[in-house]
Amino acid sequence: MSTATQHAFLVRLLFDEELRDAFFAEPEATASREGVPPDDLEALKTIDRTGFELDAAMRRDYLMSALCRAYPLSAAALGSLPGGPRRLAAFLTSPRLLADPSTRSEAFGEHLARLLSFGTLMPPVWDGLVESILAFERGLVREAAALRRSVERGDPVPTVKRKPGPGPMALPAFSFAVELPVPTALIKGALDQVSAESAWHHISSGRLSSQRLLTVARADPLPVTLLARATVVGVPVGSVVDVTHLTAELNGRRAAFFAGLDGTRPLSDFPRSELPALERLIEAGLLETR
Amino acid sequence: MLGVGASLSFGVEPDPVALAASPGGPSFIEYAGPVEHGLHAASTKALQDLGIPVLYHPSCLNLCGPHPNPEHWLTQVDAHVKAVGSAWLAQDVACCFVGNTPGYSIQLGYFVPPVQTRDALEEAVDRVMEVRRRVQAPLLLEPAPVTFVAGDMDIFSWLGELARRTGCGLLLDAGHVVSHQLVAGRELTEGLDALPLDQVVEVHVAGGVIEEHEGRRYYKDAHDLPVLPETWSVFRYLLEHCPNLKAVCVECEGSVADTVLPMLRKTRERVALGAANEALRLKAREELGQ
């Protein structure tokens, strides 16, 4: 008897809904198909299904709540589609569920991207909106993970400078910009004011409407640019690095402008009409002069 | 003799330090948290300055299952226990991580409870002894709450043998006992005499909820809710039958701050009247100001 095989199968059953259905319908056949010897199966055959499903549901809700926290809008959008919650929760069968939290969060973003690429049966304009939301949320996760890895490697913790200086202006490290066709307030409004903390609760309730988001996607464009920067909160303790994001939502399409900040031009080089906005971004810690 | 204390989380309400400083506040604070003890150093120091002991109760060790605890992880846990002066280390007997990379039970959604077989018990002895060899503090074993059971051994016999063979003490959570009794279809205190009750050092009491599904009842922890009558019944039994009980912990994470002190008082009254250990009865009376 291999406790390792038995234990591994038990853990898979806790996270894989399809495997669970198959197992409780035909325990011997399912175990055999999965390479679980009869001896290892004995202790699992007497499990009360109702109690097991309760445990699996609690675990699923906890983990999905944690995963969706980093992707509230894109997860809510994909979760609003028919079968959405189940497709989102399919991530729980991924081996990367058991990776460290940063890697797991990035992997969940890839899962959402894959769901989008499989086709949503929604018009392309809906897909395009969700793609841009997902790009922003994945950017937040990516930069936070990169900042954590940098600190864990022993690199100096970047300081947030908020005063304009004479040196050239640049986008600070661990920053990025993404354009959306409409303001985030409209997107959140269409998705029932979903938040990081409430995302999975909203999704699993089945009350979100993909059609409301489609209305927003089909509306006259009101493009915005989201600028974000990952920063360390407090002092890192060992491997515990607390990261947050400074963010700003600007009217218009400005991603190319920020991408072009190559750290060679001082603030004074920019048109006077733009200086107040650029100075505000510097004071907010989202741009810096070197 | 620690008396009646509370399990809380640092950095969230209700604030452990503020409660400990209040008249009628907890006589000790129990907490979970990362293995890096520096993260909460300021809070644990503040409690020590108030003369309030702290107990470290993590969710990061495999006390059963096939995945060993890496040496570096145990070294960190040992350092944490020493740094905060925790009188003992306690944790649910469960699997907190799978594979070679250690982690926390939240990465699996929650503890994965042990398979209750003879083979899994032998494995649990190995896991517990790994911890005992490296962590230089008494170790208390706690049964995790369950909604299902795998295996043919009764949990109290299984856990009792694990405690006897490894020389560990026991921490019994009254609500977790209720969960096992409901799954097994037993009366609330039936079979508890299979445990070495003279090795019970700590008892937990906490809010919970009993749900009915498919004609069966299941207990779930809910620390933000009041304590169930069923839990109080088990608690009374444990007070009366555990002659070496040193600490009673009210689990209050997520509770409304105003309910904590009255809850401590109610618990102290029960301890002062019903504890088999006279020293604990006297401590509870002292805490009540009698």
Side-chain angles (χ1 to χ4, degrees):
Chain A
M1 217 274 292
S2 162
T3 52
T5 310
Q6 184 187 72
H7 192 266
F9 189 57
L10 176 69
V11 172
R12 285 186 61 209
L13 285 172
L14 283 170
F15 293 114
D16 191 330
E17 190 177 349
E18 283 183 19
L19 184 65
R20 243 182 354 263
D21 285 344
F23 174 73
F24 283 108
E26 294 179 316
E28 286 87 0
T30 305
S32 174
R33 227 174 14 250
E34 299 295 325
V36 179
D39 278 354
D40 293 354
L41 177 61
E42 275 317 296
L44 306 182
K45 272 165 64 173
T46 55
I47 292 176
D48 159 50
R49 180 169 190 176
T50 304
F52 197 77
E53 291 288 353
L54 269 180
D55 184 302
M58 282 192 294
R59 228 170 268 276
R60 177 200 64 218
D61 287 344
Y62 182 90
L63 287 167
M64 290 308 300
S65 187
L67 288 164
C68 291
R69 201 165 285 144
Y71 302 91
L73 299 180
S74 50
L78 290 164
S80 70
L81 298 169
R86 194 167 181 148
R87 277 199 286 279
L88 292 180
F91 178 75
L92 299 181
T93 63
S94 164
R96 288 196 283 176
L97 175 72
L98 304 177
D100 65 275
S102 281
T103 305
R104 184 172 73 177
S105 191
E106 287 182 290
F108 186 60
E110 287 170 29
H111 176 69
L112 296 178
R114 228 175 356 257
L115 290 179
L116 198 52
S117 73
F118 288 162
T120 61
L121 301 182
M122 296 296 284
V125 68
W126 190 96
D127 287 357
L129 173 60
V130 177
E131 202 174 309
S132 62
I133 298 167
L134 182 55
F136 177 64
E137 292 178 334
R138 289 184 76 183
L140 293 176
V141 169
R142 180 188 65 237
E143 297 303 328
L147 177 54
R148 276 196 194 90
R149 283 192 286 268
S150 165
V151 173
E152 284 165 12
R153 266 198 312 268
D155 297 345
V157 175
T159 49
V160 177
K161 299 176 218 165
R162 296 179 189 267
K163 283 194 162 52
M169 193 168 64
L171 211 55
F174 309 106
S175 299
F176 69 102
V178 163
E179 291 171 1
L180 263 60
V182 291
T184 55
L186 276 182
I187 298 167
K188 278 186 194 160
L191 292 169
D192 215 19
Q193 301 298 339
V194 70
S195 68
E197 290 69 34
S198 72
W200 178 248
H201 180 70
H202 271 90
I203 293 163
S204 57
S205 72
R207 288 202 309 266
L208 292 173
S209 164
S210 57
Q211 296 301 319
R212 282 172 57 85
L213 193 62
L214 180 59
T215 302
V216 169
R218 294 175 63 206
D220 291 339
L222 273 174
V224 295
T225 302
L226 298 175
L227 186 54
R229 176 185 179 182
T231 61
V232 172
V233 179
V235 177
V237 176
S239 64
V240 180
V241 183
D242 204 2
V243 171
T244 189
H245 291 92
L246 303 174
T247 57
E249 186 164 325
L250 312 169
N251 292 332
R253 298 188 189 283
R254 309 295 309 271
F257 168 82
F258 291 114
L261 291 179
D262 55 8
T264 59
R265 298 167 63 193
L267 192 58
S268 53
D269 257 21
F270 291 85
R272 284 177 69 115
S273 59
E274 298 209 8
L275 291 185
L278 292 174
E279 281 167 0
R280 278 198 295 277
L281 288 175
I282 293 172
E283 282 159 18
L286 285 158
L287 288 178
E288 63 185 13
T289 51
R290 292 186 177 159
Chain B
M1 186 59 58
L2 291 185
V4 178
S7 168
L8 291 159
S9 300
F10 293 122
V12 297
E13 292 296 318
D15 173 43
V17 178
L19 272 171
S22 308
S27 295
F28 67 87
I29 294 291
E30 183 166 299
Y31 68 100
V35 295
E36 289 92 349
H37 60 82
L39 196 66
H40 298 306
S43 298
T44 51
K45 171 131 190 349
L47 287 167
Q48 284 158 354
D49 289 346
L50 286 170
I52 302 291
V54 296
L55 292 175
Y56 183 45
H57 188 303
S59 56
C60 65
L61 296 168
N62 281 348
L63 295 183
C64 66
H67 304 284
N69 298 285
E71 192 66 24
H72 70 88
W73 196 241
L74 294 172
T75 300
Q76 285 186 276
V77 170
D78 182 51
H80 190 136
V81 170
K82 284 185 172 118
V84 302
S86 185
W88 52 74
L89 174 71
Q91 197 200 270
D92 297 51
V93 176
C95 182
C96 291
F97 59 88
V98 298
N100 299 326
T101 306
Y104 301 90
S105 63
I106 53 172
Q107 286 167 244
L108 294 172
Y110 195 56
F111 296 118
V112 175
V115 176
Q116 292 165 201
T117 60
R118 172 66 46 193
D119 285 331
L121 173 57
E122 295 303 321
E123 203 167 55
V125 169
D126 289 343
R127 296 287 83 79
V128 169
M129 290 312 294
E130 270 166 17
V131 177
R132 290 225 62 201
R133 276 192 289 269
R134 196 62 196 85
V135 178
Q136 293 167 24
L139 177 62
L140 304 186
L141 307 177
E142 177 181 0
V146 293
T147 57
F148 75 94
V149 157
D152 56 355
M153 283 182 74
D154 153 66
I155 183 60
F156 303 135
S157 303
W158 194 95
L159 185 64
E161 186 172 335
L162 181 61
R164 285 188 193 97
R165 287 174 59 181
T166 57
C168 288
L170 288 169
L171 186 167
L172 295 182
D173 183 301
H176 297 185
V177 169
V178 172
S179 78
H180 278 280
Q181 302 294 50
L182 291 181
V183 165
R186 288 197 295 218
E187 297 300 316
L188 290 175
T189 58
E190 189 181 333
L192 281 170
D193 51 2
L195 285 164
L197 294 178
D198 58 340
Q199 283 174 236
V200 176
V201 173
E202 185 179 348
V203 163
H204 278 182
V205 66
V209 58
I210 291 178
E211 296 178 358
E212 187 161 322
H213 299 274
E214 309 281 333
R216 293 192 63 174
R217 297 166 78 219
Y218 301 88
Y219 170 94
K220 289 183 188 174
D221 267 345
H223 294 178
D224 56 326
L225 292 180
V227 177
L228 288 163
E230 289 85 347
T231 304
W232 282 130
S233 291
V234 171
F235 180 69
R236 185 171 64 237
Y237 179 93
L238 294 175
L239 282 183
E240 291 168 357
H241 291 84
C242 297
N244 298 311
L245 186 59
K246 293 188 166 67
V248 171
C249 183
V250 181
E251 295 191 286
C252 306
E253 298 90 342
S255 298
V256 175
D258 286 350
T259 63
V260 175
L261 295 180
M263 179 63 184
L264 284 171
R265 181 168 189 88
K266 195 191 283 196
T267 305
R268 283 177 173 132
E269 286 166 358
R270 285 175 152 94
V271 173
L273 280 174
N277 186 338
E278 186 185 356
L280 181 59
R281 285 204 309 277
L282 289 174
K283 181 79 167 80
R285 283 190 198 136
E286 187 187 296
E287 290 167 359
L288 286 165
Q290 291 172 357

